[in-house]
Amino acid sequence: MPASPSDISSVDNLDRSDLGSQRLVTTLARGLDVLAVFAYGELLGNLDIASRTGLSKATVSRLCATLLALGYLRLDERTRKYAMGGRLLALGACVQHHSGLLVVAKPHMLALAASTGMTVGMAARDRLGMVFLDAARGAGPRVGTTSVGSVVPMAETALGLAYLSHAQPVERIALLQQLRSAYGVGWPAVRDRIERAITEYQRDGFVVRVRSCEDSVSGVGASVLLPGAHGRIAFNCATTSNQHGIAQQLLRAGQALRSMVQAIERELSLQPPAPKRSIGGGRKATVTVFSSV
């Protein structure tokens, strides 16, 4: 049976401690302390996090493993250090509308939505799903769920297939193993779909998905590699499936989407480095802030 968006976005209950009248959840508090040290987009190892939070290495290791599994952190393949994950990016999307990546991407998204009449979305990976960070709506029919924070299955949408097709080999292999476990007996059909998408992306620079996780929705997807070690973001154009000439519409939209992500990549690469800032309660910890996330 396919993994549903609700399955993908579910969060396990964490152990809770009841300390007096404050009912302080110490595990949650420690996890939030860990997330807080990623405020400026650095890559951090367990030793860095332990030093900044005052937590033991063992505690940091367990918390980071949990946050990684839930999508709040991701592991950089080259350095084996942690960085902000898709779910954390989604939480911050509302306050990022006037800076960095969203400022660069939004005018392009609006222009593409206007020219195609489709809904143009931007999303980051959330475990085996894609979580929407923003959307621009064209004049055509409204489609699916594209509100900020909503999650769609990776292996069943153009958005997710584009991310998977453009992922680095190590990440892709890990995701394929997880998808195989998630889909069970349905895996062979999903594997074939992914293989076709990879071939398509390598050939055309975008993926077409007719009748995705919702039969009434079709779309195209492409992804952007962010500068530095800040991960990958996927974009899509989506429309209703029951339109005359839908195949040609999707082909034209895919070509336009490919041009859009190339333009976004160029603009991001030209952005100047953000100023260095000091963080921490009185301790000087100088970091370089990536201005595009």
Side-chain angles (χ1 to χ4, degrees):
M1 179 179 294
S4 69
S6 59
D7 293 333
I8 290 167
S9 60
S10 64
V11 179
D12 293 333
N13 292 325
L14 298 176
D15 291 337
R16 296 173 177 248
S17 299
D18 214 358
L19 300 182
S21 60
Q22 293 184 5
R23 298 178 63 84
L24 179 65
V25 184
T26 55
T27 302
L28 174 60
R30 289 169 179 167
L32 292 173
D33 283 344
V34 168
L35 290 178
V37 304
F38 291 91
Y40 296 125
E42 296 175 276
L43 290 170
L44 299 172
N46 284 342
L47 279 175
D48 303 315
I49 300 167
S51 174
R52 297 189 186 195
T53 60
L55 299 172
S56 70
K57 280 181 58 180
T59 298
V60 167
S61 179
R62 290 193 300 271
L63 289 171
C64 286
T66 300
L67 293 168
L68 179 67
L70 296 177
Y72 290 101
L73 295 180
R74 65 177 182 84
L75 190 64
D76 180 67
E77 296 174 13
R78 183 177 62 83
T79 63
R80 309 304 294 173
K81 292 186 175 183
Y82 293 101
M84 290 185 288
R87 298 196 76 178
L88 192 56
L89 288 171
L91 289 173
C94 290
V95 296
Q96 290 288 341
H97 275 283
H98 302 290
S99 65
L101 172 64
L102 293 177
V103 163
V104 170
K106 193 59 181 263
H108 292 283
M109 294 171 65
L110 289 169
L112 185 57
S115 66
T116 62
M118 299 182 182
T119 297
V120 179
M122 174 172 64
R125 182 171 76 86
D126 178 4
R127 290 164 290 173
L128 299 182
M130 300 298 296
V131 57
F132 279 95
L133 306 181
D134 201 4
R137 305 188 189 282
R142 294 177 68 91
V143 294
T145 303
T146 55
S147 57
V148 171
S150 59
V151 181
V152 295
M154 175 181 293
E156 300 170 40
T157 58
L159 191 69
L161 289 168
Y163 181 96
L164 192 57
S165 298
H166 204 198
Q168 294 298 313
V170 173
E171 181 185 14
R172 185 190 296 164
I173 290 169
L175 288 171
L176 291 175
Q177 291 172 342
Q178 295 172 46
L179 287 165
R180 179 178 182 176
S181 176
Y183 281 90
V185 295
W187 169 242
V190 174
R191 180 192 58 211
D192 290 346
R193 182 190 308 146
I194 293 169
E195 290 176 351
R196 289 195 301 271
I198 292 171
T199 300
E200 193 175 335
Y201 200 101
Q202 292 172 342
R203 184 189 67 219
D204 301 327
F206 59 89
V207 172
V208 176
R209 180 82 170 110
V210 178
R211 301 190 181 278
S212 61
C213 61
E214 300 177 53
D215 282 347
S216 62
V217 179
S218 296
V220 293
S223 76
V224 169
L225 180 63
L226 300 178
H230 290 81
R232 190 178 305 279
I233 296 293
F235 294 86
N236 76 330
C237 290
T239 189
T240 53
S241 301
N242 57 345
Q243 298 184 56
H244 178 70
I246 184 65
Q248 284 302 312
Q249 287 187 52
L250 292 174
L251 177 60
R252 289 192 295 270
Q255 293 167 343
L257 181 66
R258 179 183 61 203
S259 296
M260 186 194 82
V261 299
Q262 290 171 347
I264 290 172
E265 284 184 331
R266 284 195 299 270
E267 290 186 35
L268 291 176
S269 69
L270 295 173
Q271 283 199 330
K276 293 187 175 182
R277 304 175 186 172
S278 295
I279 63 172
R283 300 190 310 275
K284 293 295 183 180
T286 303
V287 298
T288 299
V289 184
F290 175 55
S291 61
S292 297
V293 174

